Amino acid sequence: MPDLSINFAGIKSPNPFWLASAPPTNSGYQVMKAFDAGWGGAVWKTLGVPVVNVSSRYGGVNYRDKRLIGFNNIELISDRPLVDNLREMEEVKKHFPQHAVIASLMVQSREEWHQIVRDVTNAGADGIELNFGCPHGMCERGMGSAVGQEPDVLRLIVEWVMEVAQIPVIVKLTPNISDITEPARAARLGGADAISLINTIQSIVGVDLDLFAPYPIVDGQGTNGGYCGPAVKPIALNMVKNCAQDPHVALPISGIGGIENWRDAVEHILLGASSVQVCTAAMHFGFGIIREMTAGLEQYMTEKGFATIHDMVGKALPNVKHWEDLNLKYKVTATIHEDKCIGCQLCYTACEDGAHQAIALREGTRVPEIIEENCVGCNLCSLVCPVEQCITMERTDDGTEHLTWKERTLANSIPTSFNDERAGGLHHWVPEPTAALGKEKHKTLPGKARQLGQPSPVSTELKS
Amino acid sequence: MAEFPIPASEQDFHANFAQLKPRMNNTEALYESSRCLFCFDAPCIKACPTGIDIPQFIRQINTGNVTGAAKTIYEANYFGNACGKVCPTEVLCEGACVYNLQDVKPIEIGRLQSFATRQVIESDQHLFKPGQPNGRKVAIIGAGPAGISCACELRALGYEVDVFEAKAQPSGLTVYGVAPYKITNEEVLAEIDYLQAQFGFHVHYHSPIATRQELEALEETYDAIFLGIGLGGTNALRLPGEDRQNCVGAVEFIEQLRQHHHRVAVGRKVIVLGGGNTAMDAASESARLGAEDVILAYRRGKDEMGAYEFEYDLAKSVGVKGLFNVAPIEIVGNGKVEGIRFVRTQTLNGQVQVVPGTEFVEPCDMVIKATGQAKQVSFLRHIPSLELDKNGRIVANAASGQTTNPQYFTSGDARNGGAEVVNAAAEAKAAARGIHAYLLGQ
Ligand SMILES: Cc1cc2nc3c(=O)[nH]c(=O)nc-3n(C[C@H](O)[C@H](O)[C@H](O)COP(=O)(O)OP(=O)(O)OC[C@H]3O[C@@H](n4cnc5c(N)ncnc54)[C@H](O)[C@@H]3O)c2cc1C
Ligand SMILES: Cc1cc2nc3c(=O)[nH]c(=O)nc-3n(C[C@H](O)[C@H](O)[C@H](O)COP(=O)(O)O)c2cc1C
Ligand code: SF4
Ligand code: SF4
Ligand code: SF4
């Protein structure tokens, strides 16, 4: 049995799955229920100054029949009295001494920071997370992402906190910034013990086409909110990787953003996270998802032979390179496995209209054919193909050569003009522009084409 | 046996004849439309005789443009709703869906189609208008799928259109022939009302055209005449005892059923003669009317039946039993039917042969003959120089529907010898364009 427990910057937890600071951690009731269900830790809903929330707070992005692939909110930090939260925090710790309770905080002045850090420490919190991320409502009051976007201010506040902190301090970063490593470095310079990322991304999830207003609608109007859920994972992964690879950051990372199952969690971990936090998935499906997450993680670790979480943290980082370091000699081409093909011809139209006209149709069969000379190996066809393993990308170079753009630059062998024999697309065949005219109108406009007086499609056997 | 209790009320009838393709709710339509792959040059379109742009309308449903979806459907097929429910989709669009090759359930195209069209019908959302009047007039004989489709298309092209229908209601076999578990009368008639409100063709009910004089009057008044008369009654078997009470034709039996529902009585033990789709329908319908035993008797083997496999499966699922390789030689009884004398057959080199000495009587109290529909040959003889083929079908140009008498056009069952509603809808639209081309050229 692999050991799922972690020691994250001094915060111990029976597994790496924490609830992120958000509605699921709004009360002692919820946190206890989550621990009971199997969660390893919880970052308490951000505590700080008194706030007033609006009614109608969330908006969703659906993709076809899939609900909430993206989610946004215009909610503020906890609107419950601080004393109630502190009392409940104490109670939770009494019942769950081995679980991680982290207090998320957001206040303004140095005195306020000192006071609240002492309060939560007295309540038994195992760690502190500084919320420098909320992209709406709080930033207007000089808190949240207003801090996270100003590395100098961020560093100053971290320093204030460190003056009194007796428990580990995590700085939660906002992604609403062009280079995430700047605030991450500032956190380190300020003396923080760890960072967590990402908070939500400024967003408008949709516009009501009848009311002409953005979602969520508050009395006919709306505002930008914070975006999260499965759709943000790619952005989160990239930012986690950036921080993990930056030698000037060098802090433990709690990965957040779009984690819904064990795979998402493992991806965050392989890119450098040593704990993970979940919000949207718990809001969508409830605390029960933890069973699938721990079971999947355990299975994966067993199969891969990882004894501890620590063994796998950052395992993918050596393979995440700059573009200029990639092997230009590597070559793949698409192969269609005819026995699997169902003839949807999505690959054909994708390559024809969206790539390199490297797939042809043949008489008498719906199975398309790859024109190898034209295939640049972009992967598009294999991505659109609805059948598992029906289009595979096969390596065609012999694997002996390795040459990167950086090496070519150093060797002075980069193309300098378009006629240069060393230029990339020089001999790549493209059809004549006019060959496009009328080519497939009858196939892409079938109903209309028939309606406009084409010969009847009806079969006939006349004058028998 | 008796899978179904004898229906005593309209409610019982609807329970026994529950719709095979019930209406989708919004969520179902969203889920199902989400599965469509939007295939390139989609095989489902090619398999639809009317060439509906299926991936397009499914995508429109998926994006919440249900009105647009209905328009896409109706642009290709004026019987959009009826076809969604009565088409043998298993051998048409859904049978061609690429998912079949992946052993995944094909997209429920028929139900999605009806989902969209029902919505515009019920909200009476008009999508079409008649064209600018062009001063020409066309008479249509028969208000079946062929006649009505032709009328809609001609109205769109600006023609004045009069439809002459022998019966009291429009839509031909869709309301008098198709099995009640495929579509209800109300649904069929609502679609015709919806079309009529948009296109404004005139239908004259109880107006059979039967004589040479009546035809002459039409020839004088109208620029062209469209024959959408379909087929006739059930072919006679020419067997001794055929006139006994309770020996009926399938088409006649089903017509009664469609009009009078549970008030139609069925025998306790019914034998249906035939191996086509109408035989399967009549057998299923007898079972659903509460018959204790229903036997399908066919001259050849099971695999040689003309019916679609899924229609036979449907009949079997309600308890119908097959009796194969038997030929009826006499309807026995005393005034009423008491049984059928059969002789066993075998098929040699494609020829059915009687096996001598194998006669037996299968008792029953009702016989339904599903042995094909007659052609309206004697009526058609009144039209000068109109050619029929050896099977009694009207000879016509496939693309234009023009017959050998240039003023007459035709399509649907009368020309194809008996196919589906969707074929009639497709061919009649083409024939309307044929009429237009012909009259433009004059
Ligand atoms: C039992 C049965 C079940 C069927 N089930 C299905 C099914 O499930 N799905 C499917 O798609 N198809 C089914 N069909 C086939 C389908 O109903 C026909 O293909 C379709 O209705 C043909 O349309 P039509 O307009 O050519 O002819 P019809 O529907 O037969 O319409 C002809 C119309 O012309 C009228 N008429 C005829 N002669 C004259 C005259 N001289 N003067 C005035 N009016 C006249 C008739 O009263 C009728 O209204 C079924 C057919 C039968 C018999
Ligand atoms: C409704 C809502 C309220 C949130 N409130 C807070 C908060 O008070 N403090 C905080 O640090 N982050 C807050 N977040 C951000 C989450 O903790 C988390 O960083 C973000 O949702 C990304 O994770 P996810 O993709 O798992 O949801 C909130 C998120 C949501 C959806
Ligand atoms: S996308 Fe895949 S299944 Fe579809 S035609 Fe291409 S290879 Fe075949
Ligand atoms: S890999 Fe790209 S270029 Fe090659 S066939 Fe597929 S889509 Fe076309
Ligand atoms: S074949 Fe099936 S999946 Fe493809 S477009 Fe048609 S309905 Fe959609």
Side-chain angles (χ1 to χ4, degrees):
Chain A
M1 267 294 256
D3 177 8
L4 295 195
S5 71
I6 56 166
N7 181 340
F8 180 84
I11 303 171
K12 295 199 182 105
S13 162
N15 65 48
F17 299 108
W18 296 352
L19 286 169
S21 172
T25 57
N26 198 40
S27 64
Y29 168 82
Q30 288 163 291
V31 174
M32 286 237 211
K33 203 172 170 203
F35 287 172
D36 227 14
W39 291 83
V43 186
W44 210 275
K45 173 73 184 169
T46 304
L47 309 174
V49 295
V51 296
V52 181
N53 270 310
V54 291
S55 187
S56 176
R57 304 175 188 178
Y58 307 148
V61 177
N62 300 339
Y63 179 73
R64 293 191 173 186
D65 58 342
K66 292 288 169 287
R67 295 199 156 258
L68 293 196
I69 63 143
F71 183 61
N72 99 338
N73 80 90
I74 55 170
E75 213 168 76
L76 307 179
I77 63 175
S78 177
D79 53 13
R80 301 181 60 226
L82 181 63
V83 286
D84 293 357
N85 281 303
L86 294 174
R87 192 184 59 247
E88 290 173 14
M89 205 178 274
E90 218 176 313
E91 212 178 321
V92 170
K93 271 315 291 184
K94 244 181 247 146
H95 279 86
F96 292 95
Q98 312 301 328
H99 287 60
V101 171
I102 294 118
S104 171
L105 307 177
M106 183 197 287
V107 287
Q108 264 176 314
S109 69
R110 184 175 174 203
E111 289 66 37
E112 285 171 323
W113 277 109
H114 283 177
Q115 186 55 48
I116 200 163
V117 167
R118 288 196 189 100
D119 287 344
V120 298
T121 310
N122 290 337
D126 301 292
I128 292 168
E129 188 180 79
L130 310 183
N131 179 353
F132 295 152
C134 184
H136 50 262
M138 305 311 294
C139 43
E140 288 90 332
R141 290 163 66 177
M143 292 176 272
S145 63
V147 177
Q149 288 164 340
E150 293 297 335
D152 293 338
V153 182
L154 183 147
R155 179 179 167 180
L156 180 69
I157 295 179
V158 174
E159 282 167 359
W160 292 346
V161 169
M162 297 320 292
E163 286 164 8
V164 294
Q166 318 247 307
I167 50 179
V169 173
I170 308 165
V171 173
K172 184 167 180 178
L173 302 179
T174 175
N176 300 305
I177 184 163
S178 43
D179 181 358
I180 193 72
T181 60
E182 284 184 23
R185 289 178 189 195
R188 174 170 182 98
L189 292 175
D193 300 293
I195 52 174
S196 58
L197 66 155
I198 59 173
N199 208 312
T200 56
I201 305 168
Q202 269 200 354
S203 64
I204 286 180
V205 283
V207 177
D208 188 302
L209 302 187
D210 300 313
L211 298 176
F212 309 120
Y215 296 120
I217 295 174
V218 180
D219 195 14
Q221 298 173 322
T223 183
N224 56 281
Y227 195 43
C228 52
V232 310
K233 185 181 76 176
I235 297 164
L237 288 177
N238 184 52
M239 291 188 166
V240 166
K241 176 271 295 179
N242 285 346
C243 291
Q245 283 187 334
D246 186 340
H248 303 292
V249 174
L251 288 174
I253 298 170
S254 184
I256 320 172
I259 298 173
E260 173 170 308
N261 57 42
W262 70 272
R263 288 179 172 277
D264 305 320
V266 169
E267 288 174 320
H268 270 266
I269 293 170
L270 294 177
L271 288 173
S274 42
S275 90
V276 293
Q277 300 185 27
V278 176
C279 166
T280 305
M283 292 180 75
H284 193 165
F285 302 109
F287 297 137
I289 56 168
I290 189 64
R291 298 195 309 276
E292 179 277 325
M293 296 175 112
T294 43
L297 179 61
E298 242 167 42
Q299 181 67 24
Y300 175 76
M301 290 174 70
T302 307
E303 280 168 18
K304 293 286 169 200
F306 293 128
T308 66
I309 300 292
H310 183 76
D311 291 348
M312 53 195 278
V313 171
K315 270 274 175 201
L317 288 173
N319 293 326
V320 188
K321 296 285 190 198
H322 290 290
W323 188 90
E324 60 177 10
D325 294 321
L326 299 178
N327 185 6
L328 296 170
K329 294 288 182 189
Y330 177 74
K331 172 99 178 108
V332 289
T333 43
T335 300
I336 296 178
H337 300 276
E338 292 207 14
D339 50 324
K340 297 207 170 99
C341 173
I342 59 171
C344 67
Q345 299 187 349
L346 287 173
C347 58
Y348 165 74
T349 199
C351 187
E352 174 75 11
D353 295 358
H356 300 276
Q357 300 79 46
I359 301 184
L361 298 179
R362 295 174 290 179
E363 243 357 276
T365 172
R366 284 196 58 91
V367 181
E369 185 178 43
I370 305 288
I371 307 166
E372 277 208 28
E373 312 83 85
N374 289 358
C375 176
V376 303
C378 72
N379 293 346
L380 178 65
C381 54
S382 70
L383 298 175
V384 301
C385 179
V387 184
E388 199 73 16
Q389 289 295 307
C390 172
I391 301 185
T392 51
M393 302 304 299
E394 308 288 348
R395 185 163 191 173
T396 54
D397 70 312
D398 60 13
T400 56
E401 285 181 286
H402 190 279
L403 184 64
T404 67
W405 180 260
K406 200 198 254 163
E407 288 160 355
R408 279 182 67 168
T409 312
L410 289 174
N412 225 350
S413 76
I414 56 173
T416 47
S417 79
F418 284 109
N419 295 329
D420 193 326
E421 275 303 319
R422 294 169 300 191
L426 191 62
H427 297 297
H428 192 83
W429 175 86
V430 291
E432 284 303 314
T434 50
L437 296 175
K439 188 176 176 206
E440 269 152 4
K441 214 166 169 176
H442 60 296
K443 290 179 177 173
T444 49
L445 294 173
K448 295 267 165 50
R450 284 189 186 180
Q451 193 203 5
L452 298 174
Q454 300 304 308
S456 161
V458 183
S459 67
T460 47
E461 6 74 86
L462 270 187
K463 305 243 179 199
S464 52
Chain B
M1 182 190 88
E3 305 263 330
F4 293 92
I6 298 172
S9 64
E10 193 63 15
Q11 208 178 351
D12 292 352
F13 177 83
H14 286 296
N16 285 12
F17 287 82
Q19 296 296 293
L20 289 183
K21 293 187 179 174
R23 189 175 190 171
M24 277 184 172
N25 62 35
N26 289 345
T27 308
E28 227 179 337
L30 174 69
Y31 284 8
E32 192 60 6
S33 60
S34 295
R35 291 204 304 130
C36 175
L37 297 167
F38 202 70
C39 296
F40 177 77
D41 191 21
C44 53
I45 304 177
K46 292 195 208 163
C48 170
T50 57
I52 297 175
D53 193 342
I54 292 162
Q56 165 82 358
F57 91 69
I58 293 180
R59 212 174 166 83
Q60 287 173 302
I61 290 175
N62 197 250
T63 58
N65 183 7
V66 179
T67 308
K71 187 153 192 215
T72 301
I73 295 161
Y74 278 121
E75 272 173 352
N77 180 345
Y78 293 117
F79 276 66
N81 185 55
C83 281
K85 296 204 72 177
V86 312
C87 269
T89 51
E90 291 87 340
V91 295
L92 298 174
C93 53
E94 293 175 19
C97 177
V98 296
Y99 274 124
N100 291 296
L101 293 169
Q102 212 178 348
D103 295 325
V104 172
K105 192 169 77 78
I107 302 289
E108 290 193 64
I109 299 169
R111 289 182 68 208
L112 283 168
Q113 184 173 314
S114 294
F115 168 82
T117 48
R118 278 287 282 279
Q119 200 147 311
V120 291
I121 293 172
E122 280 176 12
S123 59
D124 200 25
Q125 202 161 347
H126 288 194
L127 306 171
F128 301 95
K129 300 199 284 276
Q132 274 299 325
N134 63 17
R136 299 286 187 102
K137 292 169 77 169
V138 179
I140 290 179
I141 307 178
I148 297 291
S149 298
C150 186
C152 292
E153 188 79 351
L154 286 171
R155 288 292 296 143
L157 293 165
Y159 291 84
E160 200 175 307
V161 176
D162 284 306
V163 185
F164 299 91
E165 168 56 51
K167 297 203 165 137
Q169 288 181 321
S171 87
L173 285 174
T174 317
V175 91
Y176 291 106
V178 173
Y181 42 77
K182 293 193 180 160
I183 195 165
T184 64
N185 297 11
E186 295 72 32
E187 211 177 326
V188 176
L189 297 174
E191 184 163 48
I192 306 285
D193 283 346
Y194 172 68
L195 293 171
Q196 198 172 2
Q198 295 176 78
F199 290 104
F201 44 81
H202 310 285
V203 189
H204 308 272
Y205 295 108
H206 306 292
S207 306
I209 304 296
T211 63
R212 177 62 209 143
Q213 287 79 353
E214 285 165 331
L215 285 167
E216 255 166 34
L218 297 184
E219 286 164 13
E220 272 163 36
T221 320
Y222 296 92
D223 297 290
I225 300 164
F226 176 83
L227 298 166
I229 58 173
L231 304 172
T234 303
N235 281 321
L237 277 176
R238 296 181 223 291
L239 285 184
E242 196 175 343
D243 52 356
R244 290 191 204 286
Q245 205 183 322
N246 279 0
C247 175
V248 298
V251 181
E252 293 72 17
F253 167 70
I254 295 168
E255 179 169 343
Q256 289 300 309
L257 174 71
R258 286 302 299 249
Q259 295 307 301
H260 304 297
H261 288 179
H262 55 284
R263 291 180 294 278
V264 173
V266 73
R268 296 290 73 215
K269 177 166 176 183
V270 180
I271 298 181
V272 179
L273 297 173
N277 290 319
T278 299
M280 304 302 134
D281 282 3
S284 283
E285 287 157 348
S286 301
R288 288 168 198 263
L289 279 174
E292 271 161 31
D293 290 294
V294 182
I295 292 178
L296 252 173
Y298 183 51
R299 288 182 311 138
R300 296 169 181 257
K302 184 163 67 181
D303 300 333
E304 292 163 279
M305 286 199 296
Y308 299 125
E309 210 177 309
F310 62 86
E311 294 284 13
Y312 180 50
D313 289 344
L314 188 65
K316 279 194 298 190
S317 75
V318 293
V320 171
K321 298 217 166 56
L323 177 61
F324 299 103
N325 297 308
V326 292
I329 47 181
E330 185 193 353
I331 314 291
V332 296
N334 186 3
K336 280 187 189 156
V337 166
E338 285 170 11
I340 301 181
R341 185 183 309 285
F342 285 107
V343 61
R344 298 205 185 272
T345 64
Q346 57 187 15
T347 313
L348 269 183
N349 305 325
Q351 295 290 317
V352 183
Q353 291 181 345
V354 165
V355 183
T358 57
E359 289 181 22
F360 66 99
V361 172
E362 182 72 33
C364 66
D365 58 0
M366 184 173 191
V367 174
I368 301 178
K369 300 175 287 179
T371 43
Q373 284 175 270
K375 310 291 187 306
Q376 306 213 44
V377 177
S378 55
F379 164 66
L380 294 171
R381 290 272 175 258
H382 294 314
I383 301 170
S385 71
L386 185 85
E387 223 179 282
L388 306 182
D389 71 7
K390 64 178 190 304
N391 296 317
R393 297 178 298 192
I394 305 171
V395 171
N397 178 293
S400 69
Q402 192 165 34
T403 69
T404 47
N405 177 331
Q407 197 184 359
Y408 282 87
F409 291 74
T410 189
S411 62
D413 282 2
R415 191 185 74 71
N416 62 33
E420 313 291 341
V421 172
V422 67
N423 301 94
E427 295 169 21
K429 208 164 148 66
R433 297 195 293 257
I435 291 171
H436 185 51
Y438 166 68
L439 294 177
L440 278 181
Q442 273 196 335

